Amino acid sequence: MKSSSSVPTGDARESIVALERAHESAITDRVFKTGVRQLVQDSWQRSLSLRLDPSSVAPERTLTDSELRDLRNQHPLAAVLPVVHNLLIRHAIDAELIVAIGDESGRLLWIDGDRVLRRRVEEMLFVEGADWSESRVGTSAPGTALALDRGIQIRRAEHFNALAHPWSCTAVPIHDPDTGKILGVIDITGGDQAVAPQTLPLVEAAVAAMEAELRIQRLDRPADSPPAPRSRASVSLSVPRLAPAGLSVLGTDHGQLHCGSRIVDVSPRHTEILTLLAWHREGLSADRLASFLSDQDTAVETLRAEMVRVRKVLALLDSPITITSRPYRLESKLELDAQRVLAFLERGAHRVALGAYRGAVLPASSAPGIVKIRQEVSSRLREAMLADASVDLLLRYARTEEATWDTEVWRACLELLPARSPKRAMVVAHLARIEDEIGGHRNILQRSRS
């Protein structure tokens, strides 16, 4: 007998084995066995009709950081994130779960919760910015909840994609309180506790609170306030917050300022100044900033002239950034792409961090303060990769310019690779190449000394 329930039932161990067999039968032979809930079978059939690959990572992260930031700022659910934090995220961290919020199309906009789990689900690209609609990844709680417009739970092998089989999830759509249109979806992902009987009512209660908060905010908006911009699904509830200005400094010597619709190229010296001020949010005295830029005694005198020119550059932005004096300090936030990499690492999103790392901070700069920042970002990325990265991610890091000649990194790859992995030969060959190069340099040095 087929069950149409939104909630998985039955003995956990027997159910998992039966689901795995049923999934294999459906994918390989297109034969649907009994014991699988009807909503899951229907979703599998939709997934098969779309010719989705059940064995590979499908939700490619196609958004840039600025595009994701814009989507978040313009989305109505940004206004009710505190509700989610209070009702779900604290509980999720304690229960070793993660909470994801997606838009009406299934694209994940925010993910929070257990740090270790967030790093593990990166393997199936369950990351901010990824498309987890049913048309993209097949059966999953967030995608299928949106497809059916109802709260559901998906356990392990009920997922269409085999990479998601270690996980279970509960998801509930979120609706506009006035029009009833879907605004997005909220999902809890983790082990079997993510589909515990009490989880679905918990998420449904959180969604009800979010929708109530949206209604309250709309009622509180002054009658003469301008209409809020439309998202693809509904009317937003407040004027979107402007995203902080950004400065790109990774893998480049000429920085780029991003603010609203404007992109401004910045000279190397001005990039150094802005990077130091963005890094030291508390501000820097003229003497200290000068010492971070140069070890010359005349640096303070030249700094004042440079600050005049920097302020002229910042005045070109859609939302001009002001630098105060005594100390020199940015009045509004300027986000470095290097800081985003560190933020990803702190949240355990190692794959995303490595993807965002385009190279060393201002690699040609010799300014003492920049050298220190460059070393910190580089070393923290390296330490995170060595400590926590999967072997595939560590290999990807090893191929970067910074790690090409890093013997410790390549040896760590060799230790993590299975004994019969075909990649071992490549790693061994690369280690031999490193040893040859080091040996060649040693011979040259010895000959020069003799």
Side-chain angles (χ1 to χ4, degrees):
M1 179 178 178
K2 298 174 182 176
S3 171
S4 61
S5 171
S6 298
V7 182
T9 58
D11 178 79
R13 187 174 302 174
E14 293 180 3
S15 176
I16 290 169
V17 174
L19 280 174
E20 290 173 346
R21 293 172 179 169
H23 181 270
E24 183 179 359
S25 174
I27 300 304
T28 305
D29 304 321
R30 303 296 195 268
V31 175
F32 295 88
K33 294 185 176 181
T34 58
V36 179
R37 292 182 294 153
Q38 188 63 51
L39 73 84
V40 173
Q41 288 200 17
D42 292 344
S43 179
W44 285 357
Q45 288 177 325
R46 290 193 297 271
S47 304
L48 289 168
S49 68
L50 292 170
R51 299 184 178 181
L52 299 177
D53 187 346
S55 60
S56 65
V57 177
E60 299 176 2
R61 188 176 183 275
T62 57
L63 293 182
T64 64
D65 290 335
S66 61
E67 289 170 339
L68 177 59
R69 189 165 57 238
D70 289 344
L71 275 181
R72 287 169 164 173
N73 291 338
Q74 295 169 9
H75 202 278
L77 296 180
V80 293
L81 290 180
V83 176
V84 182
H85 180 80
N86 291 333
L87 296 181
L88 289 181
I89 292 177
R90 293 177 182 175
H91 163 76
I93 293 174
D94 293 339
E96 298 181 347
L97 300 168
I98 57 175
V99 178
I101 301 175
D103 65 12
E104 70 280 3
S105 70
R107 188 174 294 279
L108 305 180
L109 300 182
W110 296 278
I111 300 178
D112 208 339
D114 184 76
R115 177 177 175 178
V116 174
L117 183 58
R118 288 193 62 180
R119 183 166 63 248
R120 293 175 62 193
V121 298
E122 275 191 340
E123 297 298 324
M124 60 178 182
L125 276 187
F126 195 83
V127 296
E128 293 169 340
D131 181 356
W132 269 74
S133 61
E134 191 179 75
S135 62
R136 182 69 176 174
V137 303
T139 310
S140 74
T144 305
L146 288 171
L148 300 179
D149 193 10
R150 66 192 252 200
I152 64 168
Q153 295 183 307
I154 299 294
R155 175 189 288 169
R156 293 182 176 257
E158 288 181 329
H159 289 94
F160 181 76
N161 194 307
L163 294 177
H165 284 187
W167 312 109
S168 297
C169 45
T170 295
V172 178
I174 307 160
H175 297 86
D176 184 285
D178 292 333
T179 67
K181 292 182 179 180
I182 295 178
L183 292 177
V185 64
I186 188 162
D187 167 88
I188 286 185
T189 291
D192 291 336
Q193 67 270 34
V195 290
Q198 69 272 18
T199 305
L200 183 57
L202 175 67
V203 180
E204 289 173 336
V207 167
M210 294 167 70
E211 293 172 352
E213 179 64 20
L214 290 174
R215 183 179 291 109
I216 291 171
Q217 291 183 9
R218 184 170 294 175
L219 292 172
D220 287 344
R221 192 175 65 207
D224 58 350
S225 64
R230 289 185 177 271
S231 72
R232 286 173 292 175
S234 181
V235 178
S236 180
L237 301 171
S238 60
V239 177
R241 299 164 295 165
L242 276 177
L247 178 63
S248 300
V249 297
L250 292 173
T252 181
D253 299 311
H254 291 76
Q256 274 195 335
L257 273 170
H258 305 261
C259 185
S261 60
R262 294 294 302 275
I263 298 178
V264 178
D265 291 324
V266 188
S267 70
R269 176 55 85 184
H270 293 171
T271 302
E272 291 172 341
I273 293 172
L274 291 173
T275 298
L276 290 165
L277 292 178
W279 192 267
H280 300 276
R281 291 290 303 153
E282 73 282 2
L284 295 168
S285 66
D287 288 338
R288 194 168 180 217
L289 178 55
S291 69
F292 282 160
L293 289 167
S294 173
D295 54 9
Q296 297 179 12
D297 295 336
T298 58
V300 173
E301 299 175 7
T302 59
L303 174 62
R304 293 192 179 96
E306 289 290 354
M307 293 303 295
V308 172
R309 289 188 280 269
V310 170
R311 288 182 171 114
K312 289 181 180 179
V313 172
L314 297 179
L316 299 175
L317 301 175
D318 290 344
S319 299
I321 298 174
T322 303
I323 300 177
T324 62
S325 301
R326 300 180 182 179
Y328 289 122
R329 184 174 57 83
L330 293 167
E331 281 200 331
S332 53
K333 184 176 181 180
L334 179 62
E335 186 179 45
L336 301 175
D337 53 357
Q339 290 171 320
R340 286 200 297 274
V341 168
L342 297 184
F344 285 136
L345 291 177
E346 288 172 0
R347 287 184 171 273
H350 290 44
R351 187 176 299 275
V352 181
L354 185 58
Y357 188 72
R358 300 182 181 89
V361 174
L362 302 177
S365 173
S366 59
I370 298 298
V371 171
K372 185 176 180 180
I373 294 172
R374 181 193 306 143
Q375 291 172 342
E376 179 176 347
V377 175
S378 178
S379 64
R380 286 178 63 180
L381 178 66
R382 181 180 183 273
E383 289 167 5
M385 293 295 111
L386 285 171
D388 297 316
S390 64
V391 62
D392 289 337
L393 188 59
L394 188 59
L395 278 169
R396 182 176 158 194
Y397 171 68
R399 295 187 183 100
T400 63
E401 184 177 353
E402 289 186 22
T404 298
W405 304 104
D406 193 325
T407 304
E408 184 179 359
V409 170
W410 284 93
R411 285 178 177 164
C413 292
L414 192 61
E415 291 176 4
L416 290 174
L417 282 169
R420 296 186 179 181
S421 171
K423 296 178 181 178
R424 290 181 66 88
M426 178 272 293
V427 175
V428 169
H430 191 87
L431 280 168
R433 181 185 170 195
I434 294 175
E435 292 298 326
D436 289 344
E437 291 286 339
I438 293 174
H441 287 304
R442 285 173 182 163
N443 292 334
I444 293 173
L445 287 173
Q446 288 174 355
R447 287 196 297 268
S448 66
R449 290 171 180 170
S450 59

